[in-house]
Amino acid sequence: MRRIFLLISSSTFLTFTIAAQTLDEAKQLIYHEKWNSAEDALKKILTDQPDAYYYLGELYMKENKDQDAGTLLQKAIDLEEKNNFSEKDHPLVSIAWAHWLLNQGKKDEAAKKIDDLLSATKYKNPDLLMASAKMYITSPNGDINKALELLDKAKKRAKKNANLYLLTGDAYRKQLDGSNAFKMYTQALELDPSLAEAHHKLGEIFKSQNN
């Protein structure tokens, strides 16, 4: 009996490990803008990795496929309800849904969902704060001041996270504040010199100034 249990446990662990590795690989594909490959990778792990719904939904919205994103995220929410999960169990899915609502112009509904989610964590989870800030930065109906407010809260919890400063730089660029964007991208590179996106965005700032 113990042997059977060990075999089942080993199989479950192996499945989780493979799924986690595939999610990391999909995130790398997104980072390198290999959209089609990332989409294929994420679709394969939706069953095992609920966070894959977040990344795939965000990818669809990045590609202006809001209808596909809405259908996907509604499916994720239906599955959560069917399996008696709450928003606290898969908070990234809720953030992606709020992003979709914001894109549709439902600003109050989106803001309430984000505020309720972050309040439940007492605004102490830097990953959720960053994901919420990113929503406000990237949505055409976003709110840069709100994004900066959330990023300031995240800095109190993860001040050495290079991606936090990268996002802050993106927020300032959206405000056409090249000076502060430059400072944030530079700070991101001080924390992680290999952060290619920060190098690229600094180059874009230099290019715009020369023009």
Side-chain angles (χ1 to χ4, degrees):
M1 190 74 175
R2 185 165 182 259
R3 185 178 179 184
I4 292 173
F5 174 76
L6 287 172
L7 285 171
I8 293 172
S9 298
S10 298
S11 175
T12 302
F13 177 76
L14 180 60
T15 300
F16 176 79
T17 301
I18 292 172
Q21 288 176 340
T22 307
L23 180 59
D24 287 339
E25 290 167 1
K27 288 160 67 175
Q28 282 299 310
L29 290 169
I30 293 171
Y31 181 78
H32 293 291
E33 300 186 355
K34 296 181 179 179
W35 312 135
N36 292 335
S37 297
E39 183 177 334
D40 291 341
L42 290 166
K43 284 179 178 177
K44 291 176 182 177
I45 58 170
L46 288 174
T47 303
D48 300 311
Q49 284 283 300
D51 283 355
Y53 280 99
Y54 165 78
Y55 290 101
L56 185 54
E58 289 291 315
L59 178 57
Y60 281 148
M61 286 185 277
K62 188 178 184 69
E63 296 182 293
N64 296 317
K65 297 178 181 177
D66 273 31
Q67 184 173 348
D68 289 339
T71 300
L72 174 81
L73 295 169
Q74 185 61 64
K75 178 183 177 182
I77 292 168
D78 291 343
L79 285 171
E80 284 185 339
E81 293 176 353
K82 180 180 179 180
N83 293 296
N84 296 316
F85 287 120
S86 70
E87 291 186 347
K88 295 179 182 178
D89 294 307
H90 305 127
L92 285 177
V93 173
S94 297
I95 291 173
W97 181 245
H99 189 172
W100 184 83
L101 290 171
L102 187 59
N103 283 1
Q104 311 314 305
K106 300 179 180 180
K107 296 182 180 181
D108 292 341
E109 191 175 346
K112 184 179 186 308
K113 182 164 285 292
I114 291 297
D115 290 341
D116 288 348
L117 180 66
L118 295 178
S119 293
T121 66
K122 298 182 179 179
Y123 290 83
K124 291 182 178 181
N125 187 316
D127 292 331
L128 299 185
L129 288 165
M130 288 168 63
S132 301
K134 185 176 181 180
M135 175 198 81
Y136 283 117
I137 295 168
T138 58
S139 174
N141 299 316
D143 183 337
I144 299 302
N145 290 327
K146 183 65 175 179
L148 289 170
E149 177 187 329
L150 294 175
L151 290 168
D152 281 341
K153 292 181 185 295
K155 286 174 187 174
K156 296 176 182 177
R157 303 287 170 181
K159 60 183 179 180
K160 293 186 178 181
N161 186 325
N163 285 304
L164 174 55
Y165 295 93
L166 183 69
L167 268 178
T168 308
D170 291 345
Y172 282 125
R173 281 190 75 191
K174 204 74 179 283
Q175 284 188 326
L176 302 180
D177 185 347
S179 178
N180 275 317
F182 177 86
K183 291 177 183 177
M184 291 299 104
Y185 293 144
T186 301
Q187 197 160 350
L189 286 172
E190 288 174 356
L191 292 167
D192 183 1
S194 68
L195 196 59
E197 191 172 353
H199 283 290
H200 176 70
K201 289 178 176 178
L202 277 175
E204 289 182 335
I205 290 176
F206 281 124
K207 185 177 180 180
S208 65
Q209 289 176 342
N210 290 334
N211 290 335

